[in-house]
Amino acid sequence: MLTVRTFLPIAIVMSAVVGCESPTADAQTKAERAQREAQQKAAEVATELDKKVAEIDQRAERATDDALREAAEKLNNAAVKAQEKTAEAEAELAKARADVRESTSRRIEDLEKDAVELREKAEKKLPKDEVGRLMKDVEDKSEAVRRSLRDLDAASSETLDRVKQGVYQRVEELDRAIQAAKRRV
């Protein structure tokens, strides 16, 4: 039978054990709760961080798209301006070619008329073989003028001045050849 004497020491030991276990179990429960709360907070922070990173990514993507769009627009505008400048340069080159052709065409026509008249006079006054030699130089110079005019059509803006000088020089050479032939007739 359990008497007060035996029961009392057992009750004291039991209450000490139960008292000891209670704070430890309480602390463990608190620790577990704190750990769950910390994990929940960490998950919330991670979710919030993911949202902020996604926002930053979206802003960066928009900024990149805007920069690419702006660069493409600038490139397109530059290409349009370059095409306009090219068209202007080609028009100026065509006009310069036409100006050279126009300024020399009347002179060339006059020189060719002179050459025809010279041939007619030479054929009347000189033997046939001498007329051939005399007119050969004039014909060669006339062909050189025609080649120069063809070169003028192919001249670029960089070579136009050189070709133009060549045309003027060939015209002068034709004129000198005709004048020299006239002196012999």
Side-chain angles (χ1 to χ4, degrees):
M1 188 142 105
L2 222 34
T3 63
V4 179
R5 268 191 217 196
T6 43
F7 179 74
L8 190 55
I10 291 176
I12 291 174
V13 171
M14 287 296 277
S15 69
V17 169
V18 171
C20 288
E21 278 185 27
S22 179
T24 304
D26 219 17
Q28 186 175 0
T29 304
K30 285 181 182 179
E32 288 173 358
R33 188 178 319 129
Q35 185 177 7
R36 278 192 306 271
E37 287 174 4
Q39 287 173 346
Q40 186 177 5
K41 284 281 188 193
E44 289 172 5
V45 168
T47 302
E48 189 65 30
L49 183 60
D50 286 345
K51 286 180 184 177
K52 289 193 186 268
V53 167
E55 280 180 30
I56 291 170
D57 284 347
Q58 287 175 347
R59 277 189 251 145
E61 191 173 308
R62 279 190 298 257
T64 301
D65 288 347
D66 290 345
L68 287 174
R69 193 174 12 267
E70 184 178 325
E73 188 175 309
K74 285 181 181 179
L75 184 61
N76 188 35
N77 290 341
V80 167
K81 286 179 183 177
Q83 286 175 343
E84 290 171 356
K85 295 274 186 195
T86 300
E88 288 173 12
E90 287 174 358
E92 287 176 17
L93 180 60
K95 184 181 180 324
R97 287 175 181 158
D99 289 347
V100 171
R101 187 175 301 284
E102 184 180 320
S103 70
T104 59
S105 66
R106 279 183 242 114
R107 180 113 191 262
I108 293 169
E109 288 172 9
D110 291 342
L111 290 173
E112 287 178 350
K113 285 180 189 175
D114 288 349
V116 169
E117 290 172 7
L118 176 65
R119 177 177 284 283
E120 291 172 358
K121 284 182 184 179
E123 286 175 347
K124 291 179 184 174
K125 293 183 179 180
L126 301 172
K128 192 171 188 168
D129 61 329
E130 194 174 329
V131 171
R133 283 192 304 269
L134 182 67
M135 293 308 294
K136 173 81 168 110
D137 187 41
V138 171
E139 289 169 358
D140 289 346
K141 303 290 186 198
S142 180
E143 179 57 32
V145 169
R146 284 191 284 281
R147 276 194 312 270
S148 293
L149 289 175
R150 285 190 299 266
D151 291 344
L152 181 66
D153 292 334
S156 67
S157 60
E158 291 84 21
T159 62
L160 181 64
D161 285 338
R162 183 172 35 90
V163 172
K164 182 170 58 172
Q165 291 304 318
V167 169
Y168 293 151
Q169 180 181 350
R170 302 292 182 294
V171 170
E172 288 302 315
E173 290 170 358
L174 176 60
D175 186 29
R176 284 194 298 269
I178 291 172
Q179 297 307 318
K182 280 183 179 181
R183 284 191 293 274
R184 290 178 62 193
V185 173

